[in-house]
Amino acid sequence: MIDQFINFVIRPPRADYNPDQFLWEKEFSLGGRKYKREDFELKNERGHTLRCSHYTPSSFPDGAPLPCVIYCHGNSGCRADANEAAVILLSSNITVVTLDFSGSGLSDGDYVSLGWHEKDDLKVVVSYLRSNLKVSRIGLWGRSMGAVTSLLYGAEDPSIAGMVLDSAFSNLFDLMMELVDVYKIRLPKFTIKVAVQYMRHVIQKKAKFDIMRLNCLQVSPKTYIPALFGHAKDDKFVQPHHSDLIYKSYAGDKNIIKFDGDHNSSRPQFYYDSVSIFFYNVLHPPGISPTKSKIEKYYDLGDIKVSAGMDENLLYEIIATLRNVTSDTASSSSVPPSISTAKSAGELLADIAPIASLNDPLINGGEELNGHATPQTEDKQGGENEDCYSCTSSNRESWGRCSSLGSDDEITTDFVDSASGNQSTVDVLATPLRDNQHTALDSSKDDGKKKAAQITKKSKREKFEKLEALSQRLRLCFQKRINHRRYSSS
C-alpha cells in the first residue's frame, strides 16, 4: 500500500507515444492557414534531456515576433496534451511550446516531483524562448501538476505575461491525506501520519524533494502575474477547494471558472473561449489579415485524402446531412453515398456542397449577424482576427464585451430600427403636410419588407451555420488519425 502511494507521487503511469502519430504533423493547416511543428531538445540542470515541440505559423506576419504560451502537462501526461491548446491559440497568432517534463513522456529521468523539479525544467524552456528573436511575450498554461509548476515558476519570474491554472492543488500533504479518505483506506490517523513520514523519507531519497515543502499557498500571496483559475466541480482527485484556497490568497489580477466534469474530463467550450480571451488580452498578439472568405476557409482541407482507418459510418452520416442541408430536401435513401478515395478532402467537400450555391448575398450578409466580421469591418477594428476552427467559437469582436449586452442579432436589429427612424424623421421635415399620410403608408410597407428580408436572412444564416458545423465535423473526421486521448492523472 505504501509503495503504491509512493508511486502515486513520483512514478505514475508514464505516457509512451509516437510523436508522428499523436502530435500535430510537421506541416498542417487549421482554418485555411498553414502551420508547422518544430521539435527540439534542451538539457535541464540535472543533465536530463527534455523533448519539446514548438507550433508556429509557416510564415510570420510581417516578420514580427509573436507571443508564445508554454503548455505544462499533468503527472501522467505528455506533449500530446497540448494539441487542444495549439488549436485554440494558433488562430490568434499565439504560438505554442510544449514539453515532456523530466520523468514524463519521452524525456529523460525516472521520477516526477509534482512541480518541484518541473519548475526548473520550465525555467530552461523560458530561457530558450527569451533568446528566440521570433518570440515576444510568454504565457503559461498548466493542468494539474502543470498548473502547480506554472504557479511555482511564476512566483520566481514576474516577467511572465499571464497564467492559466487548471486544477492546481494547494498543498501536497493535504492532498495526500484527502486521497486516503477518497480511496477509503481504513487505517487509524496516527498510522497514516507515520506512513506519510516514511514516504517522505523514501521520496527524498529517490526523487530529491520534500513533500512537506510543496505548498502553493506559500507562493500565491507573493505572485502578481494575471491568472485565470479553472476547476471541475466534480473533481474527486484534486477537489475544487484547492483552487479556491489559492485563488483567495493570490495577490495578482485573477479570475476563477468552475465547470462540470472531473479531473481528467475534457473541458467545456466556454472555458476554452475564456482561455482564448484571457491570453489574447495579456499577450496582445498582432492581428491576422483575412486572406479568404468565411466559406472558402471551411473548404480548405488541404490534400488530406480518405484513408482506410477512417470511421466510414460517421463520414457517410456527415456527407448525407451536408447534401440535405445544401439541397433543402430530406433524403429518404439509406444507401451510403459513394466516396472516391482518389479525391482530396477539399475536392470531396466541394462536390457534396458546391461553393457556388453558397455565394448568396443573404448568407454572406448573415455572417455579420453571427459575429463574423467582413474584411472591411476587420480593417476598421484594427485588424482583429476571427476564429475559424471548431474547437473555439469566440471571435475578436466579442472579446471584452459582456454577453448580457445582448446578441449580435439584437444589436443589428436595433441598428436597423434606429436607422429607419432617423430616415423617417428627415422625410417628415422635408415633406409637405399633405404628403404625410402617404409617407406613413409607405413607411409601414417598408417595415413589412424589412421584416420579411430579416426572416429570409435568418433562415439563410441558419442554413450556413448548419453547413459550417457539418463541414467542421467532416474536417475532424478526415484528421482523426491525429486525435489524441488525454492521459489520465493517476
Side-chain angles (χ1 to χ4, degrees):
M1 180 65 71
I2 293 179
D3 291 339
Q4 290 179 352
F5 257 82
I6 291 174
N7 288 334
F8 148 74
V9 178
I10 62 175
R11 186 59 279 154
R14 188 167 185 161
D16 185 14
Y17 66 98
N18 183 348
D20 293 332
Q21 181 178 1
F22 286 95
L23 304 183
W24 284 101
E25 297 172 344
K26 292 285 187 179
E27 295 182 357
F28 59 99
S29 296
L30 292 176
R33 300 184 68 209
K34 294 185 177 181
Y35 302 93
K36 61 183 179 180
R37 186 191 96 224
E38 297 177 342
D39 296 334
F40 60 97
E41 297 179 353
L42 299 173
K43 289 277 188 181
N44 65 8
E45 295 178 352
R46 294 179 289 162
H48 297 160
T49 299
L50 306 176
R51 269 75 182 187
C52 315
S53 297
H54 193 183
Y55 296 106
T56 64
S58 295
S59 59
F60 281 64
D62 303 325
L66 298 180
C68 179
V69 168
I70 305 174
Y71 187 91
C72 305
H73 62 75
N75 71 332
S76 291
C78 63
R79 282 181 289 171
D81 292 350
N83 287 353
E84 58 189 10
V87 171
I88 293 166
L89 298 175
L90 284 174
S91 61
S92 301
N93 260 345
I94 300 173
T95 67
V96 176
V97 162
T98 179
L99 74 153
D100 290 342
F101 285 117
S102 176
S104 299
L106 305 182
S107 292
D108 294 346
D110 297 322
Y111 302 106
V112 301
S113 59
L114 295 179
W116 186 264
H117 292 307
E118 284 76 10
K119 72 177 185 296
D120 298 326
D121 296 344
L122 184 56
K123 180 179 180 180
V124 174
V125 177
V126 172
S127 298
Y128 167 80
L129 293 177
R130 295 287 187 212
S131 63
N132 190 335
L133 299 179
K134 293 184 178 181
V135 175
S136 55
R137 297 178 179 86
I138 295 177
L140 305 178
W141 183 351
R143 180 157 174 172
S144 190
M145 179 184 79
V148 175
T149 303
S150 300
L151 186 56
L152 294 177
Y153 177 79
E156 301 176 357
D157 186 357
S159 66
I160 296 298
M163 300 187 296
V164 171
L165 308 173
D166 186 336
S167 308
F169 60 83
S170 59
N171 182 299
L172 181 56
F173 176 77
D174 292 343
L175 175 63
M176 293 170 66
M177 297 303 291
E178 288 175 3
L179 290 175
V180 169
D181 295 332
V182 170
Y183 293 107
K184 298 179 180 179
I185 300 175
R186 301 184 182 280
L187 291 174
K189 287 291 183 182
F190 75 90
T191 306
I192 293 175
K193 290 183 179 179
V194 172
V196 169
Q197 289 300 325
Y198 171 76
M199 291 172 57
R200 177 186 183 187
H201 174 73
V202 173
I203 291 172
Q204 271 186 311
K205 186 177 180 180
K206 289 186 175 182
K208 312 300 181 186
F209 79 101
D210 188 351
I211 61 175
M212 297 298 184
R213 296 180 59 189
L214 192 49
N215 189 345
C216 293
L217 297 179
Q218 293 179 350
V219 300
S220 57
K222 301 178 290 185
T223 309
Y224 295 88
I225 299 170
L228 175 64
F229 294 84
H231 215 115
K233 298 176 184 177
D234 300 321
D235 192 339
K236 303 300 183 185
F237 189 74
V238 180
Q239 298 180 32
H241 71 82
H242 283 272
S243 285
D244 293 335
L245 291 172
I246 302 174
Y247 175 79
K248 290 178 181 177
S249 63
Y250 194 80
D253 292 337
K254 56 191 177 181
N255 196 6
I256 188 168
I257 299 174
K258 299 288 184 65
F259 39 81
D260 295 331
D262 57 31
H263 191 73
N264 296 308
S265 63
S266 59
R267 298 321 190 204
Q269 183 63 49
F270 78 87
Y271 174 71
Y272 287 137
D273 290 343
S274 300
V275 170
S276 181
I277 294 169
F278 172 80
F279 278 128
Y280 187 84
N281 289 333
V282 298
L283 297 178
H284 307 293
I288 299 176
S289 301
T291 57
K292 295 182 179 182
S293 70
K294 183 72 177 178
I295 295 175
E296 288 172 339
K297 288 179 181 178
Y298 283 100
Y299 275 76
D300 186 2
L301 302 181
D303 57 355
I304 304 173
K305 294 184 179 181
V306 178
S307 62
M310 189 172 297
D311 188 345
E312 294 189 0
N313 291 331
L314 176 61
L315 186 59
Y316 292 146
E317 174 194 344
I318 298 172
I319 289 176
T321 314
L322 274 170
R323 284 175 172 163
N324 291 343
V325 171
T326 54
S327 63
D328 287 327
T329 58
S331 174
S332 59
S333 174
S334 59
V335 179
S338 58
I339 300 177
S340 173
T341 58
K343 291 186 176 182
S344 67
E347 294 171 339
L348 179 60
L349 181 57
D351 291 343
I352 299 167
I355 190 170
S357 66
L358 296 173
N359 289 329
D360 190 312
L362 289 176
I363 296 179
N364 296 329
E367 291 181 13
E368 283 191 56
L369 298 179
N370 276 322
H372 304 306
T374 60
Q376 293 82 356
T377 306
E378 289 180 348
D379 292 339
K380 292 179 182 179
Q381 295 179 347
E384 293 177 335
N385 62 299
E386 62 181 14
D387 288 326
C388 51
Y389 196 75
S390 60
C391 287
T392 177
S393 60
S394 62
N395 55 75
R396 301 293 86 80
E397 290 180 284
S398 65
W399 289 359
R401 183 179 66 205
C402 179
S403 60
S404 63
L405 295 179
S407 66
D408 289 346
D409 288 344
E410 294 169 346
I411 294 172
T412 307
T413 304
D414 292 343
F415 174 79
V416 172
D417 292 343
S418 175
S420 62
N422 293 339
Q423 184 64 39
S424 177
T425 303
V426 174
D427 288 342
V428 168
L429 293 176
T431 306
L433 183 61
R434 64 178 178 273
D435 292 336
N436 281 353
Q437 203 170 18
H438 296 289
T439 303
L441 292 173
D442 293 340
S443 177
S444 63
K445 291 180 180 179
D446 292 340
D447 290 341
K449 291 180 180 178
K450 288 178 180 177
K451 289 181 180 178
Q454 288 176 358
I455 292 173
T456 305
K457 186 180 294 185
K458 183 177 180 180
S459 63
K460 292 288 186 180
R461 184 176 66 249
E462 289 175 351
K463 176 179 177 180
F464 176 77
E465 289 173 349
K466 289 180 181 178
L467 179 62
E468 179 178 315
L470 289 166
S471 62
Q472 291 170 7
R473 288 184 64 196
L474 183 61
R475 177 189 292 103
L476 291 175
C477 183
F478 274 102
Q479 295 180 336
K480 185 178 179 182
R481 64 181 182 276
I482 59 173
N483 284 355
H484 164 67
R485 179 180 61 83
R486 173 181 298 280
Y487 288 90
S488 300
S489 296
S490 62

